[in-house]
Amino acid sequence: MTTDGLTYAGRLSDFAAGTCHRVRAGGRTLVLIRNGDGVYALDNRCPHMGFPLDRGSVDDGILTCHWHHARFDVTTGGTFDLWADDVPAFPTTVVDGDVWVDLRNGRDELAHHRRRLRAGLEQNLSLVIAKAAVSLVEGGADPREPFRIGLEFGTRYQSDGWGPGLTVLTCMMNLLPHLPPEQHARALFHGLSNVAGDSSGSPPKFEVGPLPDAPADPSTLKRWFRRFVDVRDATGAERCLLTAVQAGLDQAAIADMLFAAATDHRYLSNGHVLDFTNKALEALDIAGWDLAETVIGSLARGYADAGRMEESNAWRRPIDLVEILETTFEDLPDILAADIKPTQWDGRADLIDTVLGEDPQAIADALTDALRQGADPVELADAVTQAAITRVARFHVTNEFGDWDRALHTLSFANAVRGGLVRSGSRELVRGIYDAAMSVYLDRFLNVPPARLPSANGHTSGAELLALLPDLLDRQQQVDEAAGLVVDYRATTAPVEALLESIGGNLLREDRDFHTIQAVEASIHQANLSDDPADATLALVAGARYLAAHAPTVRSQGQTFQIAQRLQRGERLFEEAPA
């Protein structure tokens, strides 16, 4: 019975003081609690995992759920345990001994779940993050909104700056166009949880601030930034970056500053510095460049603290790759400044073969010759990336398992070089093409012997093939089988979009692995860029092989997400035992 917006809930005399009573009113199940002189109505579903709160107990105005012992203020529904959530509370009125409840909930649900997402990030609470991601995305929020919240949090509350968590978050956003809408919340959950894990226990990143009233001279700021990175001065480097942002330098000029310093030394931190930079810039493209100060500033420490491959034995002995590169780089400024008429460069296949070869001097010479012939640096970077794809696609499983990561580092770096050149046309970044090629050369032992590339075996149904992929990934080390499935699928007339969706969806089934996520995202990106169907297929073979090598995981994170999704949809996790 409803009158003037109030719903009848029972007689006051029916509710003993200090006890919990389940009541159905207006299509909702409530718990009514008589405490002191008042009677209070809360939703009967514990917001943590759905246990019925009428099975709980009340003491001193605090309701305790008996499943995980979450505690709530009976008057407001507010929780004392952030891993739970506030219980929706409804005003009550007593008229002539009758209890009436106002079920009109005025809470802004999207605003509430934004707050919960921030709490989950702050406390590193995976279930809270999952519930917020599901509620926001399925509640109609643009996925960029939770992404932006995670980006702001991760750049402010991680003293070491940009790291794997923010990279994973950006990779997941890049994968969203290749996933069905029902997978978007799950992808965001993976990225956001990774950000929370990276920041957990870390002190916040304190603001350094730009130089006061500094002139916006791009060449000076670029020169200073490179100087401070060279002497490993993170604070000086960060102030240069923040000054550039606040002074209004355009995006290309800021990217040019970063890419120059990222390639002043060889293959910084196994390629992570340039890869992180590329992902940070992609993140700003998605979330908005109004976050540039915190995002760009978060990169500085990684530059200053990075390992430099000129300090590495592998790059110095038995062949001094650094000497080859430094000698080659002496000619680059003149080559890049020369008025060379662009040509239809046709040396891609030969260059890939050379990069995959045994002679580092020949590799450097081939790249330089291509530039002199008028090849666009982006074309060269794309060819080197395809060579890096080949290393992963032909990685033999007799190698040490950890060597998958070595091949992946080269691929991620090469992919970042290509992306950076498209973004800024930085002349200094051209050096990154050579660094990537030398890393491909150093990885040559990973293809000794090279894994056999499968041939199509006549399958005609793409849908049937995709149905087999989850079963393959339920078994360990189905590397060649996964590659064969991709090749078979590509030989059908089925759309490539369905294959990308399947690979991405199966990635989300697994527990997060930084390198696996990088591998799948990079392979899908390279496949989308390729005009050559064979090259695109090889890229997808590489991604599928890497995923299969690292599956199955425990998949505990998938269970957490499924719990959140079921709760958001009103499903019951707790069931009474049959009488």
Side-chain angles (χ1 to χ4, degrees):
M1 180 171 59
T2 301
T3 302
D4 296 330
L6 301 178
T7 301
Y8 178 73
R11 295 286 296 172
L12 182 62
S13 58
D14 295 337
F15 308 125
T19 57
C20 303
H21 302 269
R22 181 171 57 187
V23 173
R24 287 288 295 175
R28 299 191 69 130
T29 302
L30 306 176
V31 57
L32 262 67
I33 302 163
R34 190 169 177 180
N35 186 64
D37 295 331
V39 60
Y40 304 96
L42 306 175
D43 191 278
N44 195 43
R45 183 182 171 90
C46 178
H48 177 222
M49 289 187 67
F51 192 82
L53 289 175
D54 68 286
R55 298 280 299 273
S57 58
V58 177
D59 178 54
D60 193 24
I62 296 175
L63 168 63
T64 300
C65 175
H66 283 190
W67 198 353
H68 297 95
H69 306 287
R71 298 158 299 171
F72 307 93
D73 167 25
V74 299
T75 63
T76 66
T79 185
F80 297 96
D81 301 291
L82 292 179
W83 44 264
D85 195 354
D86 297 338
V87 184
F90 304 94
T92 60
T93 301
V94 179
V95 180
D96 297 331
D98 292 333
V99 179
W100 297 83
V101 182
D102 185 350
L103 295 175
R104 294 168 294 186
N105 186 358
R107 186 170 81 175
D108 183 333
E109 290 298 320
L110 290 180
H112 173 75
H113 291 298
R114 291 184 201 106
R115 290 192 295 271
R116 290 298 294 162
L117 175 55
R118 292 186 178 95
L121 290 166
E122 291 165 2
Q123 303 295 322
N124 191 22
L125 299 169
S126 292
L127 183 57
V128 173
I129 293 169
K131 288 191 283 190
V134 171
S135 298
L136 287 169
V137 173
E138 296 190 1
D142 188 319
R144 287 175 295 185
E145 186 176 350
F147 171 74
R148 183 182 169 100
I149 291 171
L151 183 62
E152 288 185 274
F153 177 84
T155 51
R156 290 184 183 277
Y157 294 99
Q158 170 57 276
S159 61
D160 289 337
W162 190 283
L166 288 165
T167 300
V168 167
L169 178 61
T170 308
C171 284
M172 288 299 174
M173 283 299 289
N174 288 340
L175 287 172
L176 285 196
H178 308 296
L179 296 170
E182 59 268 22
Q183 294 274 25
H184 288 184
R186 189 167 190 163
L188 282 164
F189 161 65
H190 275 294
L192 292 164
S193 294
N194 216 153
V195 169
D198 270 9
S199 301
S200 181
S202 170
K205 183 179 180 301
F206 295 107
E207 294 288 339
V208 172
L211 296 170
D213 303 319
D217 176 33
S219 61
T220 299
L221 291 173
K222 177 179 176 180
R223 186 175 66 253
W224 287 350
F225 176 61
R226 296 169 73 178
R227 174 179 178 173
F228 289 128
V229 169
D230 190 51
V231 298
R232 300 187 182 278
D233 181 351
T235 301
E238 184 174 353
R239 293 208 84 179
C240 289
L241 290 175
L242 296 181
T243 302
V245 172
Q246 192 170 88
L249 267 64
D250 63 35
Q251 297 172 18
I254 292 171
D256 183 57
M257 285 178 64
L258 292 163
F259 293 143
T263 51
D264 280 340
H265 296 277
R266 310 280 56 80
Y267 198 53
L268 294 178
S269 292
N270 291 317
H272 281 131
V273 168
L274 190 60
D275 182 42
F276 287 179
T277 299
N278 191 50
K279 284 292 175 283
L281 296 172
E282 290 174 358
L284 288 173
D285 293 339
I286 297 166
W289 275 76
D290 59 301
L291 298 181
E293 280 197 39
T294 55
V295 172
I296 297 297
S298 74
L299 294 167
R301 181 160 297 281
Y303 276 67
D305 293 348
R308 300 167 177 179
M309 289 305 105
E310 55 263 43
E311 303 165 345
S312 163
N313 181 67
W315 283 65
R316 290 291 193 178
R317 300 288 185 275
I319 299 175
D320 195 335
L321 303 181
V322 175
E323 182 179 355
I324 291 173
L325 293 176
E326 296 297 347
T327 301
T328 301
F329 293 163
E330 291 175 4
D331 296 330
L332 275 186
D334 291 339
I335 295 172
L336 295 173
D339 186 17
I340 300 174
K341 184 178 180 180
T343 62
Q344 187 68 34
W345 180 63
D346 60 0
R348 174 184 167 86
D350 289 341
L351 178 61
I352 291 173
D353 287 343
T354 300
V355 172
L356 291 170
E358 299 279 342
D359 187 345
Q361 185 64 62
I363 293 170
D365 292 344
L367 289 168
T368 303
D369 289 345
L371 288 172
R372 286 196 171 105
Q373 293 166 19
D376 189 309
V378 174
E379 293 180 291
L380 301 186
D382 186 73
V384 173
T385 302
Q386 193 65 28
I389 283 282
T390 304
R391 289 286 189 232
V392 179
R394 308 207 69 175
F395 180 98
H396 204 286
V397 293
T398 56
N399 288 304
E400 284 280 349
F401 186 77
D403 283 333
W404 280 104
D405 293 347
R406 177 167 181 160
L408 181 274
H409 288 152
T410 304
L411 171 56
S412 295
F413 179 81
N415 185 52
V417 172
R418 187 196 185 284
L421 288 168
V422 170
R423 178 181 295 276
S424 75
S426 166
R427 290 184 175 182
E428 289 89 351
L429 183 55
V430 172
R431 297 174 298 185
I433 304 173
Y434 290 79
D435 288 348
M438 290 302 160
S439 190
V440 172
Y441 160 77
L442 286 171
D443 293 344
R444 66 196 183 283
F445 72 91
L446 301 177
N447 295 155
V448 179
R452 183 183 63 84
L453 292 175
S455 300
N457 63 13
H459 274 287
T460 58
S461 172
E464 290 179 3
L465 286 166
L466 295 186
L468 298 174
L469 185 56
D471 291 336
L472 276 181
L473 298 177
D474 285 341
R475 304 192 299 275
Q476 289 185 335
Q477 292 298 312
Q478 300 298 296
V479 174
D480 293 331
E481 291 80 359
L485 187 150
V486 169
V487 170
D488 285 343
Y489 184 92
R490 292 284 284 164
T492 72
T493 58
V496 67
E497 290 80 8
L499 177 59
L500 303 184
E501 181 179 303
S502 179
I503 293 173
N506 279 284
L507 171 68
L508 298 183
R509 287 203 309 161
E510 306 300 335
D511 288 339
R512 290 181 300 278
D513 177 79
F514 173 46
H515 290 132
T516 305
I517 291 167
Q518 282 186 301
V520 171
E521 190 254 1
S523 66
I524 288 177
H525 178 69
Q526 185 69 6
N528 279 331
L529 290 174
S530 180
D531 295 326
D532 184 332
D535 283 355
T537 297
L538 191 68
L540 295 175
V541 164
R545 294 184 86 243
Y546 202 102
L547 175 58
H550 295 78
T553 57
V554 176
R555 298 175 181 167
S556 62
Q557 292 153 2
Q559 182 178 359
T560 297
F561 180 79
Q562 288 165 4
I563 289 170
Q565 197 167 50
R566 290 181 63 191
L567 287 169
Q568 195 275 341
R569 293 173 179 175
E571 297 179 24
R572 295 177 63 183
L573 299 183
F574 171 81
E575 298 288 347
E576 297 276 7

